[in-house]
């Protein structure tokens, strides 16, 4: 037996150990403890999830994912300007199409607008992959592991990740998804895959038909496989994008975020802030105060803007202004961040009021 065969056996043994695949007594399973899901990026994805980012032509999927990789590598900035990142991550970006020189230029421009740590990033610039083949998948695992054990693995795009057949072929897709699962389980990472929509459909008046996740091209297995699908749509009329999530397992993903792309340099996405006049802003502030006081305890951002039916971007813009003016306070980070109104009996030393105490201020 030569060394390559020995290495192959060792890798297979390691795969069996790392993935956790096996037969368990339910009594043993119920005795195990698992970490609850924690946000990787607030409102976008949790640690260890499988996510498909699917976009219409020219929507900017690759720019979005490359910006995501940069932001995750440092964990310092808020992604898209308002979404909290839990921690710095080691990121492996697998690029299966495009030119290396173009990627170099794009990363340079993205880096001018997003804080990053290049020591936490690797680019796997590859020819089309054969992830429908298990032996080939094991070779990919070995190649990545010699450089990094990623916490986030991004594959861009899916249609270049298998050797033959069609994305509409259930048998082909089943093999690809099975091996992607092995990749994810081996590294115990968050897996993000770029994909595309089918040709846009229009009604008899020529208007685009909004299909949500159903616009994703290929086998229905693709929709059922991930924890959630993020759809990136491009409105050519005003140059804005919309990131939507219609179906999800965790219930923690934002249903809609409006985006704009800043280009050419620095190159990055940010949440699109809708214009509000002074009168509208004052009314929104009043509604936010009234809502928090009506519940008599601190509320999370999503609980506030969801109940008031205002956009996320408008909420954060108004709340940031309220915080500067001392009209509202926040406590915690990420999904545990809550907002509360200052109490009348504020501490004499000028400290921030207790966030666990009832809101007692009157308007």
């Amino acid at each position: 037996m030569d060394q390559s065969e020995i290495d192959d056996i060792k890798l297979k043994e390691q795969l069996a150990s790392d993935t956790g695949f096996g037969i368990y007594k339910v009594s043993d399973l119920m005795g195990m403890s698992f970490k609850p899901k924690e946000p990787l990026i607030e409102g976008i994805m949790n640690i260890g999830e499988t996510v498909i980012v699917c976009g219409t032509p020219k929507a900017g999927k690759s720019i979005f994912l490359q910006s995501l990789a940069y932001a995750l590598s440092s964990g310092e900035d808020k992604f898209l300007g308002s979404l909290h990142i839990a921690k710095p991550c080691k990121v492996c970006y697998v690029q299966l199409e495009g030119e290396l020189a173009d990627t170099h230029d794009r990363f340079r421009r993205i880096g001018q607008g997003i804080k990053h740590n290049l020591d936490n990033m690797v680019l796997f610039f590859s020819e089309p992959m054969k992830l429908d083949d298990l032996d080939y998948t094991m070779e990919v695992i070995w190649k990545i592991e010699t450089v990094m054990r990623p916490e986030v693995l991004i594959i861009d795009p899916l249609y270049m990740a298998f050797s033959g057949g069609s994305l509409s072929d259930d048998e082909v897709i089943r093999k690809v998804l099975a091996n992607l699962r092995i990749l994810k389980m081996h590294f115990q990472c968050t897996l993000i895959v770029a994909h595309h929509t089918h040709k846009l459909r229009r009604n008899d008046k020529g208007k685009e038909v909004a299909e949500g996740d159903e616009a994703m091209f290929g086998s229905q297995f693709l929709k059922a496989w991930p924890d959630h699908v993020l759809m990136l749509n491009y409105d050519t009329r005003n140059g804005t994008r919309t990131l939507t999530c219609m179906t999800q397992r965790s219930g923690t993903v934002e249903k809609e975020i409006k985006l704009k792309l800043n280009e050419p340099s620095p190159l990055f996405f940010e949440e699109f802030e809708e214009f509000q006049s002074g009168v509208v802003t004052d009314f929104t502030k009043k509604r936010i105060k009234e809502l928090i006081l009506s519940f008599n305890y601190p509320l999370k951002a999503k609980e506030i803007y969801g109940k008031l039916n205002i956009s996320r971007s408008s909420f954060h813009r108004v709340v940031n202004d309220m915080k500067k003016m001392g009209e509202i306070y926040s406590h915690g980070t990420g999904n545990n961040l809550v907002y509360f109104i200052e109490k009348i009996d504020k501490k004499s030393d000028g400290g921030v009021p207790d966030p666990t105490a009832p809101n007692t201020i009157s308007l």
Side-chain angles (χ1 to χ4, degrees):
M1 184 179 295
D2 61 26
Q3 188 60 44
S4 64
E5 292 175 315
I6 295 174
D7 291 341
D8 189 49
I9 292 173
K10 287 182 178 179
L11 182 56
K12 286 180 179 178
E13 291 174 346
Q14 186 179 350
L15 276 173
S17 172
D18 290 346
T19 57
F21 294 143
I23 300 175
Y24 297 85
K25 288 184 178 180
V26 175
S27 57
D28 293 337
L29 176 65
M30 299 311 294
M32 296 179 180
S33 60
F34 297 90
K35 290 183 179 180
K37 284 193 173 183
E38 299 176 4
L40 178 65
I41 301 177
E42 174 195 8
I44 294 289
M45 63 188 69
N46 295 312
I47 294 173
E49 285 188 332
T50 301
V51 180
I52 289 181
V53 176
C54 187
T56 54
K58 305 301 180 183
K61 296 185 297 296
S62 293
I63 296 174
F64 179 84
L65 290 174
Q66 289 161 0
S67 300
L68 177 71
Y70 259 51
L72 286 171
S73 72
S74 71
E76 294 183 27
D77 273 342
K78 288 190 175 181
F79 186 54
L80 305 178
S82 65
L83 303 179
H84 177 75
I85 299 174
K87 62 175 184 175
C89 296
K90 295 184 180 297
V91 183
C92 176
Y93 186 91
V94 180
Q95 181 181 342
L96 301 177
E97 66 177 357
E99 302 293 333
L100 192 58
D102 292 339
T103 303
H104 173 273
D105 176 65
R106 185 177 287 175
F107 275 164
R108 177 186 60 79
R109 289 185 286 136
I110 290 173
Q112 292 175 359
I114 298 177
K115 291 182 180 179
H116 53 282
N117 179 358
L118 295 182
D119 291 335
N120 275 346
M121 284 185 63
V122 296
L123 172 68
F124 188 165
F125 187 72
S126 172
E127 71 281 354
M129 287 185 166
K130 304 174 184 176
L131 296 182
D132 47 331
D133 180 87
L134 179 57
D135 290 334
Y136 181 91
T137 302
M138 292 171 59
E139 184 180 335
V140 169
I141 289 174
W142 178 82
K143 285 181 178 179
I144 294 174
E145 199 157 40
T146 57
V147 181
M148 171 191 284
R149 191 172 179 88
E151 296 166 276
V152 178
L153 178 61
I154 301 172
I155 298 177
D156 182 11
L158 177 63
Y159 75 87
M160 296 291 280
F162 61 101
S163 58
S166 167
L167 284 168
S168 298
D169 187 327
D170 289 346
E171 184 60 27
V172 170
I173 290 302
R174 189 189 67 80
K175 291 179 181 178
V176 175
L177 299 185
N179 289 332
L180 283 173
R181 184 178 178 222
I182 289 173
L183 264 171
K184 175 181 177 293
M185 296 294 287
H186 174 76
F187 290 119
Q188 294 294 299
C189 65
T190 303
L191 176 63
I192 307 170
V193 179
H195 190 34
H196 64 280
T197 61
H198 57 59
K199 186 176 179 180
L200 293 177
R201 291 174 181 152
R202 300 180 182 274
N203 59 24
D204 54 5
K205 295 183 180 179
K207 187 176 180 180
E208 292 179 4
V209 177
E211 297 181 86
D213 294 357
E214 296 300 325
M216 187 164 55
F217 180 77
S219 166
Q220 284 297 306
F221 288 167
L222 287 171
K223 182 181 177 182
W225 170 65
D227 290 288
H228 58 271
V229 177
L230 295 175
M231 299 293 298
L232 184 62
N233 296 298
Y234 180 34
D235 188 340
T236 56
R237 295 170 299 178
N238 56 23
T240 61
R241 275 82 169 171
T242 305
L243 190 70
T244 59
C245 183
M246 304 304 293
T247 55
Q248 53 180 292
R249 291 177 185 168
S250 64
T252 59
V253 183
E254 292 292 331
K255 291 183 178 179
E256 181 177 296
I257 301 176
K258 292 184 178 180
L259 305 173
K260 68 175 181 178
L261 178 63
N262 291 280
E263 55 183 342
S265 185
L267 179 65
F268 63 97
F269 277 104
E270 65 179 344
E271 194 163 357
F272 177 71
E273 290 192 359
E274 297 170 307
F275 173 78
Q276 283 192 330
S277 67
V279 174
V280 174
T281 298
D282 290 342
F283 180 64
T284 302
K285 287 181 179 180
K286 185 174 184 295
R287 293 179 69 206
I288 290 173
K289 287 181 180 180
E290 289 175 340
L291 179 68
I292 295 177
L293 290 170
S294 69
F295 277 83
N296 205 36
Y297 57 81
L299 295 176
K300 295 181 180 180
K302 195 171 184 179
E303 293 175 313
I304 299 172
Y305 64 75
K307 292 179 186 298
L308 296 181
N309 195 30
I310 58 178
S311 71
R312 180 193 178 91
S313 59
S314 295
F315 167 79
H316 282 288
R317 189 179 66 80
V318 171
V319 163
N320 287 339
D321 184 56
M322 293 175 71
K323 289 172 69 175
K324 290 177 183 178
M325 300 298 292
E327 299 175 29
I328 196 169
Y329 290 89
S330 62
H331 178 76
T333 59
N335 284 350
N336 294 318
L337 179 67
V338 293
Y339 294 91
F340 57 99
I341 304 298
E342 180 183 4
K343 291 174 60 182
I344 290 178
D345 57 338
K346 182 178 178 180
K347 297 177 182 178
S348 59
D349 61 3
V352 174
D354 180 2
T356 62
N359 293 297
T360 57
I361 192 170
S362 59
L363 296 173

